[in-house]
Amino acid sequence: MESRPYATWEKLLAALCHLVPIVGPLLTLLFGRKSAFVRRHAQEAVVFQISCLIALTISAFLAIILVGYLLIVFFSLVYCVSTIYAIVLSLKGKPYTYPVATYVTDQLFA
């Protein structure tokens, strides 16, 4: 990623990618400007949000055997904390990579 101060619109758009689940990052990737900073945040956000959606769906099915309730709470907390941290860092103009989704992001968008 470039080592330059980012414009306010870049930081705000990167933060919105993390704030608006799945649709925000996809729209940014499809119609967004050519900022590498915004593009990377959108890629990370869409992969993480889809991963969390899959994890929560599986947890909902596992709720039948009562283990799913604990997993739903766990994944919800991970999602909230990671998203808030990503928004704060993107507003500061710093790159952020989600802990689990980075490998998938690199493979999908290489």
Side-chain angles (χ1 to χ4, degrees):
M1 207 154 311
E2 310 134 16
S3 61
R4 64 173 179 84
Y6 298 104
T8 304
W9 68 266
E10 289 175 302
K11 294 182 214 177
L12 185 60
L13 196 55
L16 285 175
C17 288
H18 299 287
L19 189 61
V20 181
I22 299 174
V23 176
L26 285 177
L27 289 176
T28 302
L29 286 173
L30 291 175
F31 303 113
R33 297 193 172 145
K34 300 299 181 194
S35 168
F37 178 72
V38 175
R39 188 172 46 251
R40 183 63 185 185
H41 275 274
Q43 291 169 349
E44 289 282 338
V46 75
V47 169
F48 179 71
Q49 291 165 357
I50 290 173
S51 300
C52 282
L53 180 66
I54 292 169
L56 286 171
T57 303
I58 293 170
S59 298
F61 285 118
L62 289 176
I64 296 170
I65 57 173
L66 301 177
V67 174
Y69 293 114
L70 294 174
L71 292 174
I72 289 172
V73 171
F74 173 75
F75 287 124
S76 297
L77 285 173
V78 168
Y79 177 79
C80 290
V81 169
S82 297
T83 302
I84 290 169
Y85 189 63
I87 291 170
V88 169
L89 284 183
S90 62
L91 288 174
K92 289 182 177 181
K94 297 180 181 177
Y96 179 70
T97 57
Y98 287 100
V100 178
T102 303
Y103 176 75
V104 177
T105 303
D106 291 339
Q107 296 301 314
L108 285 176
F109 298 103

